[in-house]
């Protein structure tokens, strides 16, 4: 059978089992169905399946296997830029499976795999609880947690991957399984930080934490003060308790009507922070930064769902080009190098360059943790710009390369969730963890059916 006939037969078989939950390139709505959150990524899978249940996932996996196709699960496509060609893959758009249940007694959230943080934080907050969410409400919990998950409370409660208490999955052989400490423990270990390489996740059970309110907000200064403010923030960050999560950032806001007047079209250096404590103790912690006289100060007490607004991430899909790196430190000469590459007067095409503070629980490995037990770095940098056309994309990419080259002396490796280009996955794990991940891949997916964004090859037999 020719490759084209084979694809046609595979689509026909998918449609006979799953009906209109399958979208093929010939169907109306194809361009919407194949879309990723990152609109700069033009995905062309063989077909899109929108599963409504774990049984639908089994059906899609079985047809893909029979016809020599791969399956590529997608939560939202926030990280679609790193994925290889989908030409011979069925894209599993998991977004329709988004039910969430909170068990306040056991402090657990049971979620379907397509749920986004915005579906979880409200119901959890109704019980005075919070999950380890990141900066954006519309990121899928599953993709985020499988890839590590660095949230506002990472220094106090660690990586989100290590808050996974169980996963319901469909493996490459089409079987539904449960992965937790008692059942499929190697698979459970690999899922917690090894990304989407090992199984299609259909549901997760996550630990929640007792958090009713935080003292959180943003301090803005004109970007001309970048070196002074970032140096002060770095010094301050080395002494704060684990209850303080923060980041330093260069922000260039476009002149869009949607952006309020005091910010529109301006460039800032800022510090965003979230303190697990009350207003008085939080204000005491922030005092050294406030002494620098910020132009705008938005701090106040907020419930955990309010954290999603702090970082001002785009509320809708956008075309972007971004990438990140881990840094072992951020001394004054690193800040100078960064300011030269992307600060005032550098005519930067980037919207944002941020450095998130790690350490604390983020750096503490425990034998009970998964494949990404901790982050052996002090900061994670992420730089991003708008990429509405090829020229914008090239110019943003070039500038990110320049920043990474300038910060090479402090390079501490790559973190899966903040890597948005095809990258050697060996750089994301310790040598032992990487070897074990390759073995788990060989056990559960020897034929390489499941296509993650950052692929970990199966160990050779
Ligand atoms: C605006 C923005 C803000 C962000 N903020 C943070 C942050 O604060 N902290 C942080 O750590 N990261 C952050 N990220 C990175 C984000 O966590 C990653 O992009 C993550 O991969 C997104 O998961 P997703 O499922 O939404 O994306 P996708 O691109 O759909 O998926 C990412 C990966 O997860 C896999 N996957 C998704 N669902 C499943 C499933 N059901 N089964 C198996 N594999 C699956 C996919 O195959 C793919 O390999 C941010 C990214 C953006 C663009």
């Amino acid at each position: 059978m020719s490759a084209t006939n084979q694809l046609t037969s595979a689509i026909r078989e998918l449609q006979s089992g799953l009906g209109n939950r399958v979208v093929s390139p010939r169907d109306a709505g194809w361009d919407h169905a194949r879309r990723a959150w990152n609109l700069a990524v033009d995905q062309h899978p063989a077909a899109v399946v929108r599963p409504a249940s774990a049984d639908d996932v089994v059906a899609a996996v079985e047809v893909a296997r029979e016809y020599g196709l791969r399956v590529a699960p997608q939560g939202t496509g926030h990280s679609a830029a790193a994925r290889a060609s989908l030409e011979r893959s069925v894209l599993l758009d998991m977004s329709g499976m988004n039910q969430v249940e909170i068990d306040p007694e056991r402090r657990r959230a049971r979620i379907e795999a397509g749920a986004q943080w915005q579906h979880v934080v409200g119901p959890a907050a109704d019980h005075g609880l919070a999950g380890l969410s990141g900066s954006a409400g519309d990121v899928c919990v599953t993709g985020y947690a499988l890839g590590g998950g660095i949230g506002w409370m990472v220094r106090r409660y660690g990586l989100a991957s290590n808050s996974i208490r169980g996963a319901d999955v469909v493996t490459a052989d089409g079987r539904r399984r449960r992965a937790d400490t008692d059942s499929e423990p190697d698979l459970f270990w690999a899922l917690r930080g090894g990304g989407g390489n090992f199984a299609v996740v259909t549901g997760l059970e996550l630990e929640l934490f007792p958090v009713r309110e935080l003292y959180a907000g943003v301090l803005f200064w004109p970007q001309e003060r970048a070196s002074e403010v970032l140096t002060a923030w770095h010094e301050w960050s080395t002494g704060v308790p684990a209850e303080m999560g923060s980041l330093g950032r260069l922000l260039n806001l476009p002149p869009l009507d949607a952006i309020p007047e005091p910010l529109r079209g301006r460039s800032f250096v800022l510090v965003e922070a979230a303190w697990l404590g009350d207003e008085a103790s939080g204000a005491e912690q922030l005092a050294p930064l406030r002494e620098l006289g910020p132009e705008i100060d938005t701090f106040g007490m907020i419930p955990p769902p309010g954290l999603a607004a702090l970082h001002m991430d785009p509320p809708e899909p956008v075309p972007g080009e971004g990438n990140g790196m881990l840094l072992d430190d951020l001394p004054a000469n690193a800040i100078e190098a960064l300011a030269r590459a992307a600060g005032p007067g550098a005519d930067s095409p980037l919207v944002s360059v941020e450095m998130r503070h790690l350490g604390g629980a983020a750096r503490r490995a425990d034998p009970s943790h998964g494949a990404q037990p901790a982050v052996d770095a002090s900061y994670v940098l992420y730089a991003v710009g708008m990429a509405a056309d090829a020229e914008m994309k090239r110019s943003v990419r070039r500038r990110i390369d320049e920043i990474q080259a300038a910060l090479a002396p402090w390079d501490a490796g790559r973190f899966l969730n903040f890597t948005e280009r095809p990258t050697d996955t060996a750089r994301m794990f310790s040598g032992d963890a990487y070897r074990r991940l390759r073995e788990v891949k060989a056990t559960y997916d020897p034929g390489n059916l499941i296509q993650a964004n950052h692929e970990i090859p199966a160990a050779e037999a």
Side-chain angles (χ1 to χ4, degrees), residues 37 73-80 83 113 134-135 140 142-144 146 149-150 196 199 201 313 356 417-418 452-453:
W37 183 90
Q74 172 170 289
T76 60
H78 270 77
S79 193
R83 197 147 21 199
S135 59
C140 170
T142 302
Y144 168 93
L146 298 182
I150 292 178
V201 174
D313 277 327
R356 298 182 184 213
N417 270 4
F418 288 103
N453 53 359

PDB file of all heavy atoms in Angstrom, residues 37 73-80 83 113 134-135 140 142-144 146 149-150 196 199 201 313 356 417-418 452-453, ligand 1:
ATOM      1  N   TRP A  37      -1.236  26.442  20.575  1.00  0.00           N
ATOM      2  CA  TRP A  37      -1.355  27.728  21.286  1.00  0.00           C
ATOM      3  C   TRP A  37      -0.350  28.727  20.721  1.00  0.00           C
ATOM      4  O   TRP A  37      -0.657  29.903  20.542  1.00  0.00           O
ATOM      5  CB  TRP A  37      -1.118  27.516  22.783  1.00  0.00           C
ATOM      6  CG  TRP A  37      -1.296  28.768  23.578  1.00  0.00           C
ATOM      7  CD1 TRP A  37      -2.444  29.219  24.149  1.00  0.00           C
ATOM      8  CD2 TRP A  37      -0.283  29.758  23.889  1.00  0.00           C
ATOM      9  NE1 TRP A  37      -2.216  30.426  24.794  1.00  0.00           N
ATOM     10  CE2 TRP A  37      -0.905  30.775  24.647  1.00  0.00           C
ATOM     11  CE3 TRP A  37       1.078  29.870  23.597  1.00  0.00           C
ATOM     12  CZ2 TRP A  37      -0.204  31.885  25.131  1.00  0.00           C
ATOM     13  CZ3 TRP A  37       1.778  30.983  24.063  1.00  0.00           C
ATOM     14  CH2 TRP A  37       1.122  31.974  24.823  1.00  0.00           C
ATOM     15  N   PRO A  73       0.403  13.522  21.824  1.00  0.00           N
ATOM     16  CA  PRO A  73      -0.587  14.185  22.684  1.00  0.00           C
ATOM     17  C   PRO A  73      -0.304  15.679  22.778  1.00  0.00           C
ATOM     18  O   PRO A  73       0.857  16.083  22.874  1.00  0.00           O
ATOM     19  CB  PRO A  73      -0.384  13.532  24.061  1.00  0.00           C
ATOM     20  CG  PRO A  73       0.568  12.399  23.863  1.00  0.00           C
ATOM     21  CD  PRO A  73       1.313  12.663  22.601  1.00  0.00           C
ATOM     22  N   GLN A  74      -1.366  16.478  22.747  1.00  0.00           N
ATOM     23  CA  GLN A  74      -1.212  17.928  22.912  1.00  0.00           C
ATOM     24  C   GLN A  74      -2.175  18.413  23.987  1.00  0.00           C
ATOM     25  O   GLN A  74      -3.371  18.134  23.927  1.00  0.00           O
ATOM     26  CB  GLN A  74      -1.504  18.642  21.592  1.00  0.00           C
ATOM     27  CG  GLN A  74      -1.555  20.172  21.734  1.00  0.00           C
ATOM     28  CD  GLN A  74      -1.605  20.897  20.397  1.00  0.00           C
ATOM     29  OE1 GLN A  74      -0.632  20.939  19.657  1.00  0.00           O
ATOM     30  NE2 GLN A  74      -2.747  21.488  20.092  1.00  0.00           N
ATOM     31  N   GLY A  75      -1.615  19.142  24.979  1.00  0.00           N
ATOM     32  CA  GLY A  75      -2.462  19.760  25.986  1.00  0.00           C
ATOM     33  C   GLY A  75      -3.046  21.038  25.419  1.00  0.00           C
ATOM     34  O   GLY A  75      -4.258  21.200  25.256  1.00  0.00           O
ATOM     35  N   THR A  76      -2.137  21.955  25.050  1.00  0.00           N
ATOM     36  CA  THR A  76      -2.538  23.246  24.474  1.00  0.00           C
ATOM     37  C   THR A  76      -1.669  23.637  23.274  1.00  0.00           C
ATOM     38  O   THR A  76      -2.047  24.480  22.489  1.00  0.00           O
ATOM     39  CB  THR A  76      -2.354  24.377  25.502  1.00  0.00           C
ATOM     40  OG1 THR A  76      -0.962  24.416  25.858  1.00  0.00           O
ATOM     41  CG2 THR A  76      -3.204  24.162  26.743  1.00  0.00           C
ATOM     42  N   GLY A  77      -0.451  23.069  23.232  1.00  0.00           N
ATOM     43  CA  GLY A  77       0.509  23.505  22.222  1.00  0.00           C
ATOM     44  C   GLY A  77       1.315  24.715  22.666  1.00  0.00           C
ATOM     45  O   GLY A  77       1.884  25.427  21.841  1.00  0.00           O
ATOM     46  N   HIS A  78       1.415  24.953  23.991  1.00  0.00           N
ATOM     47  CA  HIS A  78       2.298  26.023  24.468  1.00  0.00           C
ATOM     48  C   HIS A  78       3.745  25.726  24.087  1.00  0.00           C
ATOM     49  O   HIS A  78       4.557  26.619  23.903  1.00  0.00           O
ATOM     50  CB  HIS A  78       2.213  26.165  25.994  1.00  0.00           C
ATOM     51  CG  HIS A  78       1.166  27.133  26.450  1.00  0.00           C
ATOM     52  ND1 HIS A  78      -0.166  26.841  26.478  1.00  0.00           N
ATOM     53  CD2 HIS A  78       1.261  28.418  26.909  1.00  0.00           C
ATOM     54  CE1 HIS A  78      -0.857  27.889  26.924  1.00  0.00           C
ATOM     55  NE2 HIS A  78      -0.010  28.862  27.192  1.00  0.00           N
ATOM     56  N   SER A  79       4.062  24.448  24.015  1.00  0.00           N
ATOM     57  CA  SER A  79       5.451  24.067  23.772  1.00  0.00           C
ATOM     58  C   SER A  79       5.605  23.385  22.418  1.00  0.00           C
ATOM     59  O   SER A  79       6.497  22.559  22.219  1.00  0.00           O
ATOM     60  CB  SER A  79       5.879  23.118  24.898  1.00  0.00           C
ATOM     61  OG  SER A  79       7.250  22.952  24.894  1.00  0.00           O
ATOM     62  N   ALA A  80       4.760  23.754  21.462  1.00  0.00           N
ATOM     63  CA  ALA A  80       4.732  23.051  20.177  1.00  0.00           C
ATOM     64  C   ALA A  80       5.981  23.291  19.339  1.00  0.00           C
ATOM     65  O   ALA A  80       6.317  22.488  18.467  1.00  0.00           O
ATOM     66  CB  ALA A  80       3.494  23.477  19.394  1.00  0.00           C
ATOM     67  N   ARG A  83       8.621  20.483  18.856  1.00  0.00           N
ATOM     68  CA  ARG A  83       8.255  19.163  18.339  1.00  0.00           C
ATOM     69  C   ARG A  83       8.700  18.971  16.885  1.00  0.00           C
ATOM     70  O   ARG A  83       8.617  19.876  16.079  1.00  0.00           O
ATOM     71  CB  ARG A  83       6.742  18.974  18.465  1.00  0.00           C
ATOM     72  CG  ARG A  83       6.374  17.549  18.340  1.00  0.00           C
ATOM     73  CD  ARG A  83       5.229  16.988  19.079  1.00  0.00           C
ATOM     74  NE  ARG A  83       4.153  17.727  19.611  1.00  0.00           N
ATOM     75  CZ  ARG A  83       3.359  17.227  20.568  1.00  0.00           C
ATOM     76  NH1 ARG A  83       3.612  16.038  21.072  1.00  0.00           N
ATOM     77  NH2 ARG A  83       2.346  17.914  21.017  1.00  0.00           N
ATOM     78  N   ALA A 113      -6.699  14.718  31.738  1.00  0.00           N
ATOM     79  CA  ALA A 113      -5.384  15.162  31.248  1.00  0.00           C
ATOM     80  C   ALA A 113      -5.400  16.481  30.482  1.00  0.00           C
ATOM     81  O   ALA A 113      -4.362  17.123  30.341  1.00  0.00           O
ATOM     82  CB  ALA A 113      -4.765  14.089  30.372  1.00  0.00           C
ATOM     83  N   GLY A 134       1.950  27.488  37.516  1.00  0.00           N
ATOM     84  CA  GLY A 134       2.978  28.415  37.045  1.00  0.00           C
ATOM     85  C   GLY A 134       2.382  29.774  36.741  1.00  0.00           C
ATOM     86  O   GLY A 134       1.379  30.177  37.341  1.00  0.00           O
ATOM     87  N   SER A 135       2.977  30.459  35.766  1.00  0.00           N
ATOM     88  CA  SER A 135       2.596  31.842  35.560  1.00  0.00           C
ATOM     89  C   SER A 135       1.311  31.998  34.752  1.00  0.00           C
ATOM     90  O   SER A 135       0.632  33.007  34.883  1.00  0.00           O
ATOM     91  CB  SER A 135       3.741  32.595  34.874  1.00  0.00           C
ATOM     92  OG  SER A 135       4.051  31.989  33.643  1.00  0.00           O
ATOM     93  N   CYS A 140      -1.672  23.725  30.116  1.00  0.00           N
ATOM     94  CA  CYS A 140      -2.261  22.441  30.521  1.00  0.00           C
ATOM     95  C   CYS A 140      -1.474  21.873  31.712  1.00  0.00           C
ATOM     96  O   CYS A 140      -0.236  21.819  31.680  1.00  0.00           O
ATOM     97  CB  CYS A 140      -2.203  21.499  29.322  1.00  0.00           C
ATOM     98  SG  CYS A 140      -2.618  19.808  29.709  1.00  0.00           S
ATOM     99  N   THR A 142      -1.150  18.870  32.721  1.00  0.00           N
ATOM    100  CA  THR A 142      -0.412  17.628  32.454  1.00  0.00           C
ATOM    101  C   THR A 142       0.932  17.911  31.768  1.00  0.00           C
ATOM    102  O   THR A 142       1.984  17.452  32.248  1.00  0.00           O
ATOM    103  CB  THR A 142      -1.261  16.673  31.581  1.00  0.00           C
ATOM    104  OG1 THR A 142      -2.479  16.425  32.276  1.00  0.00           O
ATOM    105  CG2 THR A 142      -0.543  15.361  31.342  1.00  0.00           C
ATOM    106  N   GLY A 143       0.921  18.672  30.666  1.00  0.00           N
ATOM    107  CA  GLY A 143       2.182  18.974  29.970  1.00  0.00           C
ATOM    108  C   GLY A 143       3.158  19.682  30.898  1.00  0.00           C
ATOM    109  O   GLY A 143       4.347  19.363  30.951  1.00  0.00           O
ATOM    110  N   TYR A 144       2.635  20.625  31.675  1.00  0.00           N
ATOM    111  CA  TYR A 144       3.438  21.398  32.627  1.00  0.00           C
ATOM    112  C   TYR A 144       4.059  20.492  33.685  1.00  0.00           C
ATOM    113  O   TYR A 144       5.259  20.559  33.965  1.00  0.00           O
ATOM    114  CB  TYR A 144       2.505  22.434  33.250  1.00  0.00           C
ATOM    115  CG  TYR A 144       2.988  23.192  34.463  1.00  0.00           C
ATOM    116  CD1 TYR A 144       3.631  24.420  34.326  1.00  0.00           C
ATOM    117  CD2 TYR A 144       2.751  22.716  35.752  1.00  0.00           C
ATOM    118  CE1 TYR A 144       4.035  25.139  35.447  1.00  0.00           C
ATOM    119  CE2 TYR A 144       3.150  23.426  36.868  1.00  0.00           C
ATOM    120  CZ  TYR A 144       3.793  24.639  36.713  1.00  0.00           C
ATOM    121  OH  TYR A 144       4.196  25.353  37.817  1.00  0.00           O
ATOM    122  N   LEU A 146       4.388  17.111  33.676  1.00  0.00           N
ATOM    123  CA  LEU A 146       5.296  16.083  33.149  1.00  0.00           C
ATOM    124  C   LEU A 146       6.675  16.691  32.867  1.00  0.00           C
ATOM    125  O   LEU A 146       7.693  16.013  32.978  1.00  0.00           O
ATOM    126  CB  LEU A 146       4.754  15.459  31.852  1.00  0.00           C
ATOM    127  CG  LEU A 146       3.422  14.703  31.898  1.00  0.00           C
ATOM    128  CD1 LEU A 146       3.081  14.131  30.525  1.00  0.00           C
ATOM    129  CD2 LEU A 146       3.443  13.573  32.921  1.00  0.00           C
ATOM    130  N   GLY A 149       7.629  21.651  35.857  1.00  0.00           N
ATOM    131  CA  GLY A 149       6.677  22.569  36.483  1.00  0.00           C
ATOM    132  C   GLY A 149       7.311  23.453  37.537  1.00  0.00           C
ATOM    133  O   GLY A 149       7.408  23.093  38.700  1.00  0.00           O
ATOM    134  N   ILE A 150       7.761  24.638  37.103  1.00  0.00           N
ATOM    135  CA  ILE A 150       8.345  25.616  38.031  1.00  0.00           C
ATOM    136  C   ILE A 150       7.295  26.699  38.281  1.00  0.00           C
ATOM    137  O   ILE A 150       6.998  27.499  37.390  1.00  0.00           O
ATOM    138  CB  ILE A 150       9.631  26.226  37.433  1.00  0.00           C
ATOM    139  CG1 ILE A 150      10.722  25.145  37.359  1.00  0.00           C
ATOM    140  CG2 ILE A 150      10.096  27.429  38.250  1.00  0.00           C
ATOM    141  CD1 ILE A 150      12.032  25.600  36.740  1.00  0.00           C
ATOM    142  N   GLY A 196       6.490  13.991  27.982  1.00  0.00           N
ATOM    143  CA  GLY A 196       5.416  13.152  27.426  1.00  0.00           C
ATOM    144  C   GLY A 196       5.912  11.994  26.578  1.00  0.00           C
ATOM    145  O   GLY A 196       5.272  11.640  25.596  1.00  0.00           O
ATOM    146  N   ALA A 199       3.968   7.521  27.752  1.00  0.00           N
ATOM    147  CA  ALA A 199       2.576   7.051  27.693  1.00  0.00           C
ATOM    148  C   ALA A 199       1.703   8.259  27.394  1.00  0.00           C
ATOM    149  O   ALA A 199       2.131   9.399  27.581  1.00  0.00           O
ATOM    150  CB  ALA A 199       2.167   6.449  29.043  1.00  0.00           C
ATOM    151  N   VAL A 201      -1.067  10.265  28.872  1.00  0.00           N
ATOM    152  CA  VAL A 201      -1.711  10.424  30.177  1.00  0.00           C
ATOM    153  C   VAL A 201      -3.179  10.776  29.937  1.00  0.00           C
ATOM    154  O   VAL A 201      -3.492  11.640  29.112  1.00  0.00           O
ATOM    155  CB  VAL A 201      -1.006  11.542  30.984  1.00  0.00           C
ATOM    156  CG1 VAL A 201      -1.757  11.821  32.284  1.00  0.00           C
ATOM    157  CG2 VAL A 201       0.442  11.146  31.272  1.00  0.00           C
ATOM    158  N   ASP A 313       1.001  37.131  31.375  1.00  0.00           N
ATOM    159  CA  ASP A 313       1.145  36.291  30.179  1.00  0.00           C
ATOM    160  C   ASP A 313      -0.022  36.557  29.238  1.00  0.00           C
ATOM    161  O   ASP A 313      -1.111  36.915  29.689  1.00  0.00           O
ATOM    162  CB  ASP A 313       1.155  34.806  30.572  1.00  0.00           C
ATOM    163  CG  ASP A 313       2.531  34.345  31.026  1.00  0.00           C
ATOM    164  OD1 ASP A 313       3.521  34.860  30.499  1.00  0.00           O
ATOM    165  OD2 ASP A 313       2.612  33.484  31.918  1.00  0.00           O
ATOM    166  N   ARG A 356      13.952  33.500  36.785  1.00  0.00           N
ATOM    167  CA  ARG A 356      13.190  33.053  37.964  1.00  0.00           C
ATOM    168  C   ARG A 356      14.156  32.500  38.996  1.00  0.00           C
ATOM    169  O   ARG A 356      15.055  31.720  38.657  1.00  0.00           O
ATOM    170  CB  ARG A 356      12.199  31.958  37.576  1.00  0.00           C
ATOM    171  CG  ARG A 356      11.179  32.422  36.582  1.00  0.00           C
ATOM    172  CD  ARG A 356      10.178  31.303  36.275  1.00  0.00           C
ATOM    173  NE  ARG A 356       9.263  31.755  35.243  1.00  0.00           N
ATOM    174  CZ  ARG A 356       8.002  31.397  35.153  1.00  0.00           C
ATOM    175  NH1 ARG A 356       7.494  30.561  36.024  1.00  0.00           N
ATOM    176  NH2 ARG A 356       7.237  31.857  34.172  1.00  0.00           N
ATOM    177  N   ASN A 417      10.717  22.276  30.440  1.00  0.00           N
ATOM    178  CA  ASN A 417       9.594  23.193  30.183  1.00  0.00           C
ATOM    179  C   ASN A 417      10.007  24.534  29.601  1.00  0.00           C
ATOM    180  O   ASN A 417       9.175  25.228  29.019  1.00  0.00           O
ATOM    181  CB  ASN A 417       8.838  23.471  31.485  1.00  0.00           C
ATOM    182  CG  ASN A 417       7.723  22.475  31.725  1.00  0.00           C
ATOM    183  OD1 ASN A 417       7.558  21.548  30.957  1.00  0.00           O
ATOM    184  ND2 ASN A 417       6.987  22.658  32.794  1.00  0.00           N
ATOM    185  N   PHE A 418      11.231  24.942  29.811  1.00  0.00           N
ATOM    186  CA  PHE A 418      11.653  26.244  29.297  1.00  0.00           C
ATOM    187  C   PHE A 418      12.566  26.107  28.086  1.00  0.00           C
ATOM    188  O   PHE A 418      13.336  27.011  27.777  1.00  0.00           O
ATOM    189  CB  PHE A 418      12.309  27.072  30.406  1.00  0.00           C
ATOM    190  CG  PHE A 418      11.304  27.566  31.417  1.00  0.00           C
ATOM    191  CD1 PHE A 418      11.170  26.963  32.651  1.00  0.00           C
ATOM    192  CD2 PHE A 418      10.454  28.613  31.098  1.00  0.00           C
ATOM    193  CE1 PHE A 418      10.227  27.403  33.562  1.00  0.00           C
ATOM    194  CE2 PHE A 418       9.499  29.064  32.006  1.00  0.00           C
ATOM    195  CZ  PHE A 418       9.385  28.459  33.241  1.00  0.00           C
ATOM    196  N   ALA A 452       6.730  12.950  21.852  1.00  0.00           N
ATOM    197  CA  ALA A 452       6.762  14.116  22.748  1.00  0.00           C
ATOM    198  C   ALA A 452       7.431  15.275  22.021  1.00  0.00           C
ATOM    199  O   ALA A 452       7.977  15.107  20.931  1.00  0.00           O
ATOM    200  CB  ALA A 452       7.536  13.770  24.009  1.00  0.00           C
ATOM    201  N   ASN A 453       7.411  16.450  22.646  1.00  0.00           N
ATOM    202  CA  ASN A 453       8.134  17.565  22.037  1.00  0.00           C
ATOM    203  C   ASN A 453       9.652  17.337  22.179  1.00  0.00           C
ATOM    204  O   ASN A 453      10.394  17.444  21.211  1.00  0.00           O
ATOM    205  CB  ASN A 453       7.698  18.910  22.616  1.00  0.00           C
ATOM    206  CG  ASN A 453       7.760  18.986  24.126  1.00  0.00           C
ATOM    207  OD1 ASN A 453       8.125  18.021  24.800  1.00  0.00           O
ATOM    208  ND2 ASN A 453       7.414  20.127  24.681  1.00  0.00           N
TER     209      ASN A 453
HETATM  210  C1  LIG B   1       3.010  31.757  28.296  1.00  0.00           C
HETATM  211  C2  LIG B   1       3.733  30.581  28.913  1.00  0.00           C
HETATM  212  C3  LIG B   1       3.884  30.505  30.296  1.00  0.00           C
HETATM  213  C4  LIG B   1       4.551  29.414  30.877  1.00  0.00           C
HETATM  214  N1  LIG B   1       4.746  29.376  32.235  1.00  0.00           N
HETATM  215  C5  LIG B   1       5.429  28.341  32.788  1.00  0.00           C
HETATM  216  C6  LIG B   1       5.706  28.292  34.186  1.00  0.00           C
HETATM  217  O1  LIG B   1       5.349  29.188  34.938  1.00  0.00           O
HETATM  218  N2  LIG B   1       6.398  27.237  34.671  1.00  0.00           N
HETATM  219  C7  LIG B   1       6.800  26.198  33.877  1.00  0.00           C
HETATM  220  O2  LIG B   1       7.392  25.234  34.376  1.00  0.00           O
HETATM  221  N3  LIG B   1       6.556  26.228  32.553  1.00  0.00           N
HETATM  222  C8  LIG B   1       5.899  27.270  32.006  1.00  0.00           C
HETATM  223  N4  LIG B   1       5.681  27.301  30.657  1.00  0.00           N
HETATM  224  C9  LIG B   1       6.114  26.173  29.858  1.00  0.00           C
HETATM  225  C10 LIG B   1       5.000  25.115  29.846  1.00  0.00           C
HETATM  226  O3  LIG B   1       4.931  24.478  31.093  1.00  0.00           O
HETATM  227  C11 LIG B   1       5.325  24.115  28.785  1.00  0.00           C
HETATM  228  O4  LIG B   1       5.164  24.762  27.556  1.00  0.00           O
HETATM  229  C12 LIG B   1       4.422  22.879  28.862  1.00  0.00           C
HETATM  230  O5  LIG B   1       4.987  21.905  28.050  1.00  0.00           O
HETATM  231  C13 LIG B   1       3.034  23.183  28.413  1.00  0.00           C
HETATM  232  O6  LIG B   1       2.243  22.050  28.441  1.00  0.00           O
HETATM  233  P1  LIG B   1       0.998  21.960  27.439  1.00  0.00           P
HETATM  234  O7  LIG B   1       0.433  20.587  27.558  1.00  0.00           O
HETATM  235  O8  LIG B   1       0.123  23.117  27.683  1.00  0.00           O
HETATM  236  O9  LIG B   1       1.718  22.143  26.049  1.00  0.00           O
HETATM  237  P2  LIG B   1       1.910  21.139  24.821  1.00  0.00           P
HETATM  238  O10 LIG B   1       2.837  21.837  23.896  1.00  0.00           O
HETATM  239  O11 LIG B   1       0.597  20.725  24.297  1.00  0.00           O
HETATM  240  O12 LIG B   1       2.588  19.862  25.448  1.00  0.00           O
HETATM  241  C14 LIG B   1       3.890  19.877  25.950  1.00  0.00           C
HETATM  242  C15 LIG B   1       4.432  18.458  26.070  1.00  0.00           C
HETATM  243  O13 LIG B   1       3.647  17.691  26.977  1.00  0.00           O
HETATM  244  C16 LIG B   1       3.164  16.524  26.336  1.00  0.00           C
HETATM  245  N5  LIG B   1       1.805  16.231  26.789  1.00  0.00           N
HETATM  246  C17 LIG B   1       0.789  17.113  26.945  1.00  0.00           C
HETATM  247  N6  LIG B   1      -0.318  16.442  27.347  1.00  0.00           N
HETATM  248  C18 LIG B   1       0.026  15.131  27.438  1.00  0.00           C
HETATM  249  C19 LIG B   1      -0.673  13.940  27.776  1.00  0.00           C
HETATM  250  N7  LIG B   1      -1.963  13.959  28.111  1.00  0.00           N
HETATM  251  N8  LIG B   1       0.010  12.766  27.770  1.00  0.00           N
HETATM  252  C20 LIG B   1       1.319  12.713  27.446  1.00  0.00           C
HETATM  253  N9  LIG B   1       2.014  13.812  27.089  1.00  0.00           N
HETATM  254  C21 LIG B   1       1.377  14.999  27.090  1.00  0.00           C
HETATM  255  C22 LIG B   1       3.166  16.845  24.852  1.00  0.00           C
HETATM  256  O14 LIG B   1       3.233  15.702  24.057  1.00  0.00           O
HETATM  257  C23 LIG B   1       4.414  17.681  24.738  1.00  0.00           C
HETATM  258  O15 LIG B   1       5.534  16.845  24.666  1.00  0.00           O
HETATM  259  C24 LIG B   1       5.046  28.382  30.053  1.00  0.00           C
HETATM  260  C25 LIG B   1       4.909  28.466  28.659  1.00  0.00           C
HETATM  261  C26 LIG B   1       4.275  29.554  28.091  1.00  0.00           C
HETATM  262  C27 LIG B   1       4.200  29.644  26.585  1.00  0.00           C
END
